[in-house]
Amino acid sequence: QVQMVESGGGLEQAGGSLRLSCAASGRTFSSDAMGWFRQAPGKEREFVAAITQSGRSTVYADSVKGRFTISRDNAKNTVYLQMNSLKPEDTAVYYCAARWKVALSRTPEEYDSWGQGTQVTVSS
């Protein structure tokens, strides 16, 4: 498994921006497809975005498409989530996740490693 630590969460006003980072260690980062998920209180964990090992392909949930951007820097073993035009409904704990040597996925059960999460709160 890979160890991951998220950072960059916090309190932001609606319409603002935050950038989340997820630093990975423990195996070859460039072999991991990476995803971001979020979980709001009382709700199931939901898919936000994912990126292939090379970074050439990405997918997004409809709710964040056009506002969020996932990217990665394999030299720094880090994946990012740039969040713009934040809305109160984006409030959740955000988790990064890794899949070893397989294609990206929208399904949380298909990821083998998870970070501890970072809280994002958007005020109206």
Side-chain angles (χ1 to χ4, degrees):
Q1 287 191 335
V2 60
Q3 291 76 47
M4 292 172 289
V5 179
E6 300 99 333
S7 61
L11 175 64
E12 183 59 70
Q13 292 185 334
S17 298
L18 285 172
R19 188 195 196 202
L20 305 184
S21 299
C22 172
S25 62
R27 69 186 183 200
T28 305
F29 180 72
S30 58
S31 294
D32 281 305
M34 299 297 295
W36 284 98
F37 293 80
R38 66 187 182 186
Q39 188 166 19
K43 295 187 177 181
E44 292 187 353
R45 191 167 298 188
E46 65 171 355
F47 170 76
V48 175
I51 189 167
T52 56
Q53 287 83 345
S54 66
R56 294 192 190 98
S57 295
T58 57
V59 293
Y60 296 92
D62 288 344
S63 58
V64 307
K65 199 173 296 183
R67 300 188 298 121
F68 290 10
T69 302
I70 187 171
S71 63
R72 66 190 295 160
D73 185 338
N74 286 346
K76 295 183 178 180
N77 290 357
T78 302
V79 62
Y80 305 97
L81 186 68
Q82 178 66 44
M83 305 186 296
N84 298 330
S85 302
L86 284 163
K87 303 176 181 180
E89 50 264 43
D90 294 320
T91 296
V93 177
Y94 283 71
Y95 300 89
C96 64
R99 296 189 80 207
W100 174 243
K101 289 188 174 179
V102 290
L104 54 79
S105 169
R106 298 172 180 260
T107 306
E109 292 77 12
E110 295 182 352
Y111 286 78
D112 59 77
S113 300
W114 291 82
Q116 84 290 348
T118 185
Q119 177 70 47
V120 171
T121 303
V122 183
S123 62
S124 56

